Amino acid sequence: MAEVQGSKPEADKPETLKPDEPTTPIQELWTTAKAHSHPEVWGVTLADPASHIPSQIVLQKYLNANDGDVVKAQDQLTKTLDWRAKLQPLELIKKSYSKTKFEGLGYVTKYASSDEKTAQNDPETREIFTWNIYGGVKSIDETFGNLDEFIGWRVALMELAVQELSLPTATKPITASWDPYKIFQVHDYKSISFLRQSPAVKAASTETIKVFATAYPELLKEKFFVNVPAIMGFMYGVMKLFVAPKTIKKFHPMSNGGNLAKEFTETKVPGLGEKLPAEYGGKGVDLKDQGKEPLIE
């Protein structure tokens, strides 16, 4: 069952850091960040979290991902900054990808319980989804054969989803227990029972899991693997090597993708399940009509 986003008790409301407060774990992370040559994470140009809520959100996520361990959070943040400096994910969004290799394989959708303007400012009134439609792969060798190209496309899809969170303009800080700035992910494995034999797919899966575990902490709300063939078990083995146990608990394999909409009947967004595409049990239009994907040549 997906998370239920409820209202937060008054006593646990997050508060903005005060500039005159003594050193905190967040400030220690800020010291690490400002010493790095690369200034950006997830579209946020990092600044003093005492007065910049978007930076507070980013840095708090690294603390949350490491259960408050500052040293581990600093290490992960540094690795993320190194990786973003090298790969330049924001530039990958502007790049066009091969129609033959990637068209129709990934989408981002946003569902709001109120008007668009309100949803833009209130993270609790919207839900962001990424969809990976691996059953649409036309050629395993072409789509997965060039590992760097595949990772570039996959990262571009994730960055499109992160953009929908509107982190650079966020006005609500988060805590260790309250964080609505997260994304649902759906991986559809319909008609790909042959993938187990492909070294290219295994390499792409392993690298994607490693990258996302390091560079996108605490952005996952729930992850649904739908139309999963039994032989896909090798992927779960890889995930356990690189993904934290508390994250693994958010993973939900489903043999029938048509039941996906039922998983969202109790979420905060009214009627969310009905808005999903009909193929997944909802009443919405197809993903190609309601979603956005990385630029295609």
PDB file of all heavy atoms in Angstrom, residues 17 21-39 46-50 55-56 59-60 63 70 73-75 77-78 81:
ATOM      1  N   LEU A  17      15.858  27.350  10.033  1.00  0.00           N
ATOM      2  CA  LEU A  17      17.020  27.564  10.893  1.00  0.00           C
ATOM      3  C   LEU A  17      17.265  29.054  11.097  1.00  0.00           C
ATOM      4  O   LEU A  17      17.042  29.862  10.209  1.00  0.00           O
ATOM      5  CB  LEU A  17      18.257  26.930  10.241  1.00  0.00           C
ATOM      6  CG  LEU A  17      18.222  25.412  10.090  1.00  0.00           C
ATOM      7  CD1 LEU A  17      19.406  24.963   9.250  1.00  0.00           C
ATOM      8  CD2 LEU A  17      18.262  24.751  11.447  1.00  0.00           C
ATOM      9  N   GLU A  21      22.023  30.509  15.270  1.00  0.00           N
ATOM     10  CA  GLU A  21      22.052  29.258  16.003  1.00  0.00           C
ATOM     11  C   GLU A  21      23.451  28.639  15.942  1.00  0.00           C
ATOM     12  O   GLU A  21      24.212  28.874  15.004  1.00  0.00           O
ATOM     13  CB  GLU A  21      21.029  28.273  15.420  1.00  0.00           C
ATOM     14  CG  GLU A  21      19.591  28.622  15.776  1.00  0.00           C
ATOM     15  CD  GLU A  21      18.626  27.577  15.235  1.00  0.00           C
ATOM     16  OE1 GLU A  21      19.054  26.758  14.415  1.00  0.00           O
ATOM     17  OE2 GLU A  21      17.466  27.600  15.644  1.00  0.00           O
ATOM     18  N   PRO A  22      23.833  27.843  16.943  1.00  0.00           N
ATOM     19  CA  PRO A  22      25.134  27.171  16.913  1.00  0.00           C
ATOM     20  C   PRO A  22      25.172  26.150  15.773  1.00  0.00           C
ATOM     21  O   PRO A  22      24.157  25.865  15.142  1.00  0.00           O
ATOM     22  CB  PRO A  22      25.192  26.481  18.281  1.00  0.00           C
ATOM     23  CG  PRO A  22      23.764  26.313  18.691  1.00  0.00           C
ATOM     24  CD  PRO A  22      23.059  27.536  18.161  1.00  0.00           C
ATOM     25  N   THR A  23      26.349  25.603  15.508  1.00  0.00           N
ATOM     26  CA  THR A  23      26.523  24.654  14.414  1.00  0.00           C
ATOM     27  C   THR A  23      25.588  23.464  14.567  1.00  0.00           C
ATOM     28  O   THR A  23      25.474  22.861  15.628  1.00  0.00           O
ATOM     29  CB  THR A  23      27.976  24.150  14.378  1.00  0.00           C
ATOM     30  OG1 THR A  23      28.840  25.267  14.205  1.00  0.00           O
ATOM     31  CG2 THR A  23      28.177  23.178  13.242  1.00  0.00           C
ATOM     32  N   THR A  24      24.915  23.135  13.493  1.00  0.00           N
ATOM     33  CA  THR A  24      23.991  22.011  13.462  1.00  0.00           C
ATOM     34  C   THR A  24      24.457  21.031  12.394  1.00  0.00           C
ATOM     35  O   THR A  24      25.316  21.369  11.565  1.00  0.00           O
ATOM     36  CB  THR A  24      22.574  22.496  13.128  1.00  0.00           C
ATOM     37  OG1 THR A  24      22.589  23.042  11.784  1.00  0.00           O
ATOM     38  CG2 THR A  24      22.095  23.553  14.112  1.00  0.00           C
ATOM     39  N   PRO A  25      23.912  19.817  12.366  1.00  0.00           N
ATOM     40  CA  PRO A  25      24.269  18.894  11.289  1.00  0.00           C
ATOM     41  C   PRO A  25      24.039  19.487   9.899  1.00  0.00           C
ATOM     42  O   PRO A  25      24.846  19.266   8.995  1.00  0.00           O
ATOM     43  CB  PRO A  25      23.342  17.699  11.563  1.00  0.00           C
ATOM     44  CG  PRO A  25      23.149  17.715  13.042  1.00  0.00           C
ATOM     45  CD  PRO A  25      23.069  19.170  13.399  1.00  0.00           C
ATOM     46  N   ILE A  26      22.937  20.230   9.746  1.00  0.00           N
ATOM     47  CA  ILE A  26      22.667  20.862   8.458  1.00  0.00           C
ATOM     48  C   ILE A  26      23.778  21.848   8.096  1.00  0.00           C
ATOM     49  O   ILE A  26      24.241  21.907   6.950  1.00  0.00           O
ATOM     50  CB  ILE A  26      21.309  21.593   8.492  1.00  0.00           C
ATOM     51  CG1 ILE A  26      20.155  20.584   8.484  1.00  0.00           C
ATOM     52  CG2 ILE A  26      21.170  22.536   7.306  1.00  0.00           C
ATOM     53  CD1 ILE A  26      19.947  19.892   7.164  1.00  0.00           C
ATOM     54  N   GLN A  27      24.207  22.636   9.076  1.00  0.00           N
ATOM     55  CA  GLN A  27      25.267  23.606   8.816  1.00  0.00           C
ATOM     56  C   GLN A  27      26.595  22.906   8.495  1.00  0.00           C
ATOM     57  O   GLN A  27      27.395  23.398   7.687  1.00  0.00           O
ATOM     58  CB  GLN A  27      25.433  24.535  10.018  1.00  0.00           C
ATOM     59  CG  GLN A  27      24.315  25.554  10.181  1.00  0.00           C
ATOM     60  CD  GLN A  27      24.304  26.591   9.067  1.00  0.00           C
ATOM     61  OE1 GLN A  27      25.329  26.861   8.454  1.00  0.00           O
ATOM     62  NE2 GLN A  27      23.144  27.168   8.800  1.00  0.00           N
ATOM     63  N   GLU A  28      26.823  21.755   9.102  1.00  0.00           N
ATOM     64  CA  GLU A  28      28.030  20.996   8.781  1.00  0.00           C
ATOM     65  C   GLU A  28      27.998  20.522   7.334  1.00  0.00           C
ATOM     66  O   GLU A  28      29.024  20.536   6.636  1.00  0.00           O
ATOM     67  CB  GLU A  28      28.175  19.812   9.739  1.00  0.00           C
ATOM     68  CG  GLU A  28      28.490  20.209  11.175  1.00  0.00           C
ATOM     69  CD  GLU A  28      28.762  19.007  12.054  1.00  0.00           C
ATOM     70  OE1 GLU A  28      29.685  18.235  11.727  1.00  0.00           O
ATOM     71  OE2 GLU A  28      28.051  18.825  13.058  1.00  0.00           O
ATOM     72  N   LEU A  29      26.835  20.105   6.887  1.00  0.00           N
ATOM     73  CA  LEU A  29      26.706  19.712   5.484  1.00  0.00           C
ATOM     74  C   LEU A  29      26.886  20.910   4.566  1.00  0.00           C
ATOM     75  O   LEU A  29      27.462  20.796   3.474  1.00  0.00           O
ATOM     76  CB  LEU A  29      25.341  19.069   5.238  1.00  0.00           C
ATOM     77  CG  LEU A  29      25.143  17.636   5.728  1.00  0.00           C
ATOM     78  CD1 LEU A  29      23.796  17.107   5.290  1.00  0.00           C
ATOM     79  CD2 LEU A  29      26.236  16.721   5.208  1.00  0.00           C
ATOM     80  N   TRP A  30      26.380  22.058   4.993  1.00  0.00           N
ATOM     81  CA  TRP A  30      26.546  23.266   4.193  1.00  0.00           C
ATOM     82  C   TRP A  30      28.026  23.615   4.067  1.00  0.00           C
ATOM     83  O   TRP A  30      28.491  24.020   2.999  1.00  0.00           O
ATOM     84  CB  TRP A  30      25.766  24.412   4.810  1.00  0.00           C
ATOM     85  CG  TRP A  30      26.108  25.790   4.303  1.00  0.00           C
ATOM     86  CD1 TRP A  30      26.413  26.881   5.055  1.00  0.00           C
ATOM     87  CD2 TRP A  30      26.165  26.221   2.938  1.00  0.00           C
ATOM     88  NE1 TRP A  30      26.671  27.962   4.252  1.00  0.00           N
ATOM     89  CE2 TRP A  30      26.524  27.585   2.939  1.00  0.00           C
ATOM     90  CE3 TRP A  30      25.966  25.587   1.721  1.00  0.00           C
ATOM     91  CZ2 TRP A  30      26.672  28.332   1.778  1.00  0.00           C
ATOM     92  CZ3 TRP A  30      26.123  26.324   0.539  1.00  0.00           C
ATOM     93  CH2 TRP A  30      26.467  27.671   0.586  1.00  0.00           C
ATOM     94  N   THR A  31      28.792  23.436   5.123  1.00  0.00           N
ATOM     95  CA  THR A  31      30.234  23.677   5.069  1.00  0.00           C
ATOM     96  C   THR A  31      30.884  22.769   4.030  1.00  0.00           C
ATOM     97  O   THR A  31      31.758  23.201   3.259  1.00  0.00           O
ATOM     98  CB  THR A  31      30.871  23.429   6.450  1.00  0.00           C
ATOM     99  OG1 THR A  31      30.301  24.341   7.390  1.00  0.00           O
ATOM    100  CG2 THR A  31      32.377  23.631   6.402  1.00  0.00           C
ATOM    101  N   THR A  32      30.448  21.508   4.001  1.00  0.00           N
ATOM    102  CA  THR A  32      30.957  20.571   2.993  1.00  0.00           C
ATOM    103  C   THR A  32      30.579  21.024   1.590  1.00  0.00           C
ATOM    104  O   THR A  32      31.401  21.002   0.670  1.00  0.00           O
ATOM    105  CB  THR A  32      30.391  19.163   3.251  1.00  0.00           C
ATOM    106  OG1 THR A  32      30.808  18.700   4.535  1.00  0.00           O
ATOM    107  CG2 THR A  32      30.863  18.175   2.182  1.00  0.00           C
ATOM    108  N   ALA A  33      29.337  21.438   1.418  1.00  0.00           N
ATOM    109  CA  ALA A  33      28.840  21.820   0.097  1.00  0.00           C
ATOM    110  C   ALA A  33      29.548  23.049  -0.452  1.00  0.00           C
ATOM    111  O   ALA A  33      29.952  23.080  -1.623  1.00  0.00           O
ATOM    112  CB  ALA A  33      27.338  22.069   0.164  1.00  0.00           C
ATOM    113  N   LYS A  34      29.717  24.061   0.382  1.00  0.00           N
ATOM    114  CA  LYS A  34      30.286  25.307  -0.134  1.00  0.00           C
ATOM    115  C   LYS A  34      31.785  25.195  -0.400  1.00  0.00           C
ATOM    116  O   LYS A  34      32.360  26.040  -1.090  1.00  0.00           O
ATOM    117  CB  LYS A  34      29.991  26.470   0.811  1.00  0.00           C
ATOM    118  CG  LYS A  34      30.648  26.408   2.172  1.00  0.00           C
ATOM    119  CD  LYS A  34      30.214  27.608   3.010  1.00  0.00           C
ATOM    120  CE  LYS A  34      30.840  27.587   4.399  1.00  0.00           C
ATOM    121  NZ  LYS A  34      30.399  28.752   5.211  1.00  0.00           N
ATOM    122  N   ALA A  35      32.412  24.134   0.120  1.00  0.00           N
ATOM    123  CA  ALA A  35      33.822  23.902  -0.168  1.00  0.00           C
ATOM    124  C   ALA A  35      34.026  23.203  -1.507  1.00  0.00           C
ATOM    125  O   ALA A  35      35.156  23.092  -1.999  1.00  0.00           O
ATOM    126  CB  ALA A  35      34.456  23.071   0.956  1.00  0.00           C
ATOM    127  N   HIS A  36      32.938  22.744  -2.118  1.00  0.00           N
ATOM    128  CA  HIS A  36      33.020  22.013  -3.383  1.00  0.00           C
ATOM    129  C   HIS A  36      32.894  22.983  -4.549  1.00  0.00           C
ATOM    130  O   HIS A  36      32.221  24.005  -4.457  1.00  0.00           O
ATOM    131  CB  HIS A  36      31.910  20.953  -3.444  1.00  0.00           C
ATOM    132  CG  HIS A  36      32.168  19.873  -4.437  1.00  0.00           C
ATOM    133  ND1 HIS A  36      31.991  20.037  -5.791  1.00  0.00           N
ATOM    134  CD2 HIS A  36      32.605  18.592  -4.268  1.00  0.00           C
ATOM    135  CE1 HIS A  36      32.295  18.913  -6.415  1.00  0.00           C
ATOM    136  NE2 HIS A  36      32.675  18.018  -5.515  1.00  0.00           N
ATOM    137  N   SER A  37      33.504  22.643  -5.652  1.00  0.00           N
ATOM    138  CA  SER A  37      33.468  23.523  -6.826  1.00  0.00           C
ATOM    139  C   SER A  37      32.119  23.516  -7.532  1.00  0.00           C
ATOM    140  O   SER A  37      31.767  24.481  -8.212  1.00  0.00           O
ATOM    141  CB  SER A  37      34.554  23.107  -7.824  1.00  0.00           C
ATOM    142  OG  SER A  37      34.349  21.759  -8.254  1.00  0.00           O
ATOM    143  N   HIS A  38      31.356  22.432  -7.364  1.00  0.00           N
ATOM    144  CA  HIS A  38      30.050  22.352  -8.008  1.00  0.00           C
ATOM    145  C   HIS A  38      28.977  22.817  -7.016  1.00  0.00           C
ATOM    146  O   HIS A  38      28.870  22.265  -5.918  1.00  0.00           O
ATOM    147  CB  HIS A  38      29.749  20.923  -8.461  1.00  0.00           C
ATOM    148  CG  HIS A  38      28.473  20.802  -9.241  1.00  0.00           C
ATOM    149  ND1 HIS A  38      28.385  21.158 -10.571  1.00  0.00           N
ATOM    150  CD2 HIS A  38      27.231  20.399  -8.873  1.00  0.00           C
ATOM    151  CE1 HIS A  38      27.139  20.964 -10.989  1.00  0.00           C
ATOM    152  NE2 HIS A  38      26.422  20.506  -9.981  1.00  0.00           N
ATOM    153  N   PRO A  39      28.152  23.805  -7.370  1.00  0.00           N
ATOM    154  CA  PRO A  39      27.250  24.415  -6.386  1.00  0.00           C
ATOM    155  C   PRO A  39      25.814  23.913  -6.400  1.00  0.00           C
ATOM    156  O   PRO A  39      25.003  24.359  -5.589  1.00  0.00           O
ATOM    157  CB  PRO A  39      27.256  25.884  -6.821  1.00  0.00           C
ATOM    158  CG  PRO A  39      27.340  25.800  -8.322  1.00  0.00           C
ATOM    159  CD  PRO A  39      28.205  24.595  -8.621  1.00  0.00           C
ATOM    160  N   LEU A  46      22.980  25.665  -4.084  1.00  0.00           N
ATOM    161  CA  LEU A  46      23.059  25.577  -2.633  1.00  0.00           C
ATOM    162  C   LEU A  46      23.540  26.885  -2.004  1.00  0.00           C
ATOM    163  O   LEU A  46      24.476  27.524  -2.487  1.00  0.00           O
ATOM    164  CB  LEU A  46      23.974  24.429  -2.221  1.00  0.00           C
ATOM    165  CG  LEU A  46      23.501  23.029  -2.651  1.00  0.00           C
ATOM    166  CD1 LEU A  46      24.533  21.975  -2.276  1.00  0.00           C
ATOM    167  CD2 LEU A  46      22.150  22.694  -2.039  1.00  0.00           C
ATOM    168  N   ALA A  47      22.881  27.261  -0.915  1.00  0.00           N
ATOM    169  CA  ALA A  47      23.208  28.460  -0.148  1.00  0.00           C
ATOM    170  C   ALA A  47      23.039  28.128   1.327  1.00  0.00           C
ATOM    171  O   ALA A  47      22.689  27.007   1.688  1.00  0.00           O
ATOM    172  CB  ALA A  47      22.301  29.617  -0.570  1.00  0.00           C
ATOM    173  N   ASP A  48      23.264  29.102   2.181  1.00  0.00           N
ATOM    174  CA  ASP A  48      23.159  28.882   3.620  1.00  0.00           C
ATOM    175  C   ASP A  48      21.747  28.420   3.981  1.00  0.00           C
ATOM    176  O   ASP A  48      20.783  29.156   3.776  1.00  0.00           O
ATOM    177  CB  ASP A  48      23.484  30.177   4.362  1.00  0.00           C
ATOM    178  CG  ASP A  48      23.626  29.955   5.871  1.00  0.00           C
ATOM    179  OD1 ASP A  48      23.160  28.912   6.373  1.00  0.00           O
ATOM    180  OD2 ASP A  48      24.191  30.837   6.529  1.00  0.00           O
ATOM    181  N   PRO A  49      21.603  27.200   4.492  1.00  0.00           N
ATOM    182  CA  PRO A  49      20.264  26.671   4.797  1.00  0.00           C
ATOM    183  C   PRO A  49      19.567  27.414   5.922  1.00  0.00           C
ATOM    184  O   PRO A  49      18.359  27.242   6.121  1.00  0.00           O
ATOM    185  CB  PRO A  49      20.539  25.218   5.171  1.00  0.00           C
ATOM    186  CG  PRO A  49      21.957  25.218   5.661  1.00  0.00           C
ATOM    187  CD  PRO A  49      22.666  26.237   4.823  1.00  0.00           C
ATOM    188  N   ALA A  50      20.292  28.238   6.655  1.00  0.00           N
ATOM    189  CA  ALA A  50      19.665  29.017   7.719  1.00  0.00           C
ATOM    190  C   ALA A  50      18.646  29.993   7.162  1.00  0.00           C
ATOM    191  O   ALA A  50      17.672  30.347   7.830  1.00  0.00           O
ATOM    192  CB  ALA A  50      20.729  29.764   8.521  1.00  0.00           C
ATOM    193  N   SER A  55      17.772  24.822  -0.022  1.00  0.00           N
ATOM    194  CA  SER A  55      19.024  24.173   0.394  1.00  0.00           C
ATOM    195  C   SER A  55      18.813  23.336   1.648  1.00  0.00           C
ATOM    196  O   SER A  55      19.383  22.246   1.788  1.00  0.00           O
ATOM    197  CB  SER A  55      20.112  25.222   0.651  1.00  0.00           C
ATOM    198  OG  SER A  55      20.454  25.886  -0.543  1.00  0.00           O
ATOM    199  N   GLN A  56      17.989  23.833   2.567  1.00  0.00           N
ATOM    200  CA  GLN A  56      17.680  23.060   3.774  1.00  0.00           C
ATOM    201  C   GLN A  56      17.069  21.719   3.397  1.00  0.00           C
ATOM    202  O   GLN A  56      17.419  20.678   3.972  1.00  0.00           O
ATOM    203  CB  GLN A  56      16.728  23.849   4.674  1.00  0.00           C
ATOM    204  CG  GLN A  56      16.448  23.202   6.031  1.00  0.00           C
ATOM    205  CD  GLN A  56      15.334  22.153   6.020  1.00  0.00           C
ATOM    206  OE1 GLN A  56      14.531  22.103   5.091  1.00  0.00           O
ATOM    207  NE2 GLN A  56      15.293  21.326   7.049  1.00  0.00           N
ATOM    208  N   LEU A  59      19.832  19.341   1.824  1.00  0.00           N
ATOM    209  CA  LEU A  59      20.795  18.856   2.819  1.00  0.00           C
ATOM    210  C   LEU A  59      20.134  17.949   3.853  1.00  0.00           C
ATOM    211  O   LEU A  59      20.723  16.951   4.288  1.00  0.00           O
ATOM    212  CB  LEU A  59      21.471  20.044   3.500  1.00  0.00           C
ATOM    213  CG  LEU A  59      22.276  20.955   2.563  1.00  0.00           C
ATOM    214  CD1 LEU A  59      22.865  22.128   3.336  1.00  0.00           C
ATOM    215  CD2 LEU A  59      23.376  20.184   1.845  1.00  0.00           C
ATOM    216  N   GLN A  60      18.893  18.255   4.236  1.00  0.00           N
ATOM    217  CA  GLN A  60      18.186  17.407   5.191  1.00  0.00           C
ATOM    218  C   GLN A  60      17.939  16.022   4.610  1.00  0.00           C
ATOM    219  O   GLN A  60      17.975  15.014   5.332  1.00  0.00           O
ATOM    220  CB  GLN A  60      16.858  18.049   5.592  1.00  0.00           C
ATOM    221  CG  GLN A  60      16.085  17.279   6.666  1.00  0.00           C
ATOM    222  CD  GLN A  60      16.796  17.277   8.011  1.00  0.00           C
ATOM    223  OE1 GLN A  60      17.191  18.323   8.519  1.00  0.00           O
ATOM    224  NE2 GLN A  60      16.968  16.091   8.588  1.00  0.00           N
ATOM    225  N   LEU A  63      20.910  13.946   5.251  1.00  0.00           N
ATOM    226  CA  LEU A  63      20.915  13.500   6.650  1.00  0.00           C
ATOM    227  C   LEU A  63      19.917  12.377   6.861  1.00  0.00           C
ATOM    228  O   LEU A  63      20.214  11.364   7.505  1.00  0.00           O
ATOM    229  CB  LEU A  63      20.583  14.667   7.574  1.00  0.00           C
ATOM    230  CG  LEU A  63      21.713  15.621   7.951  1.00  0.00           C
ATOM    231  CD1 LEU A  63      21.165  16.760   8.810  1.00  0.00           C
ATOM    232  CD2 LEU A  63      22.824  14.884   8.704  1.00  0.00           C
ATOM    233  N   VAL A  70      26.222  12.437  10.294  1.00  0.00           N
ATOM    234  CA  VAL A  70      26.756  13.567   9.535  1.00  0.00           C
ATOM    235  C   VAL A  70      27.914  13.151   8.635  1.00  0.00           C
ATOM    236  O   VAL A  70      28.000  13.583   7.476  1.00  0.00           O
ATOM    237  CB  VAL A  70      27.206  14.699  10.486  1.00  0.00           C
ATOM    238  CG1 VAL A  70      27.861  15.829   9.705  1.00  0.00           C
ATOM    239  CG2 VAL A  70      26.015  15.236  11.269  1.00  0.00           C
ATOM    240  N   ALA A  73      26.593  11.330   5.676  1.00  0.00           N
ATOM    241  CA  ALA A  73      25.864  12.275   4.829  1.00  0.00           C
ATOM    242  C   ALA A  73      26.823  13.166   4.053  1.00  0.00           C
ATOM    243  O   ALA A  73      26.608  13.450   2.865  1.00  0.00           O
ATOM    244  CB  ALA A  73      24.919  13.119   5.682  1.00  0.00           C
ATOM    245  N   GLN A  74      27.901  13.614   4.706  1.00  0.00           N
ATOM    246  CA  GLN A  74      28.905  14.431   4.023  1.00  0.00           C
ATOM    247  C   GLN A  74      29.570  13.655   2.893  1.00  0.00           C
ATOM    248  O   GLN A  74      29.800  14.196   1.804  1.00  0.00           O
ATOM    249  CB  GLN A  74      29.961  14.900   5.032  1.00  0.00           C
ATOM    250  CG  GLN A  74      29.471  15.961   5.993  1.00  0.00           C
ATOM    251  CD  GLN A  74      30.498  16.297   7.058  1.00  0.00           C
ATOM    252  OE1 GLN A  74      31.146  15.398   7.611  1.00  0.00           O
ATOM    253  NE2 GLN A  74      30.646  17.576   7.367  1.00  0.00           N
ATOM    254  N   ASP A  75      29.860  12.397   3.134  1.00  0.00           N
ATOM    255  CA  ASP A  75      30.490  11.558   2.114  1.00  0.00           C
ATOM    256  C   ASP A  75      29.558  11.391   0.910  1.00  0.00           C
ATOM    257  O   ASP A  75      29.989  11.527  -0.246  1.00  0.00           O
ATOM    258  CB  ASP A  75      30.843  10.193   2.707  1.00  0.00           C
ATOM    259  CG  ASP A  75      31.468   9.272   1.680  1.00  0.00           C
ATOM    260  OD1 ASP A  75      32.579   9.577   1.205  1.00  0.00           O
ATOM    261  OD2 ASP A  75      30.846   8.246   1.338  1.00  0.00           O
ATOM    262  N   LEU A  77      27.035  13.351   0.042  1.00  0.00           N
ATOM    263  CA  LEU A  77      26.864  14.649  -0.611  1.00  0.00           C
ATOM    264  C   LEU A  77      28.053  14.969  -1.507  1.00  0.00           C
ATOM    265  O   LEU A  77      27.888  15.441  -2.643  1.00  0.00           O
ATOM    266  CB  LEU A  77      26.687  15.741   0.445  1.00  0.00           C
ATOM    267  CG  LEU A  77      26.568  17.179  -0.081  1.00  0.00           C
ATOM    268  CD1 LEU A  77      25.357  17.334  -0.990  1.00  0.00           C
ATOM    269  CD2 LEU A  77      26.489  18.156   1.084  1.00  0.00           C
ATOM    270  N   THR A  78      29.253  14.707  -1.013  1.00  0.00           N
ATOM    271  CA  THR A  78      30.457  14.955  -1.808  1.00  0.00           C
ATOM    272  C   THR A  78      30.455  14.106  -3.072  1.00  0.00           C
ATOM    273  O   THR A  78      30.786  14.595  -4.169  1.00  0.00           O
ATOM    274  CB  THR A  78      31.715  14.665  -0.979  1.00  0.00           C
ATOM    275  OG1 THR A  78      31.754  15.539   0.151  1.00  0.00           O
ATOM    276  CG2 THR A  78      32.979  14.867  -1.810  1.00  0.00           C
ATOM    277  N   LEU A  81      28.004  15.624  -5.514  1.00  0.00           N
ATOM    278  CA  LEU A  81      28.528  16.833  -6.148  1.00  0.00           C
ATOM    279  C   LEU A  81      29.598  16.488  -7.179  1.00  0.00           C
ATOM    280  O   LEU A  81      29.642  17.090  -8.262  1.00  0.00           O
ATOM    281  CB  LEU A  81      29.083  17.771  -5.079  1.00  0.00           C
ATOM    282  CG  LEU A  81      28.038  18.406  -4.155  1.00  0.00           C
ATOM    283  CD1 LEU A  81      28.711  19.086  -2.965  1.00  0.00           C
ATOM    284  CD2 LEU A  81      27.168  19.399  -4.909  1.00  0.00           C
TER     285      LEU A  81
END
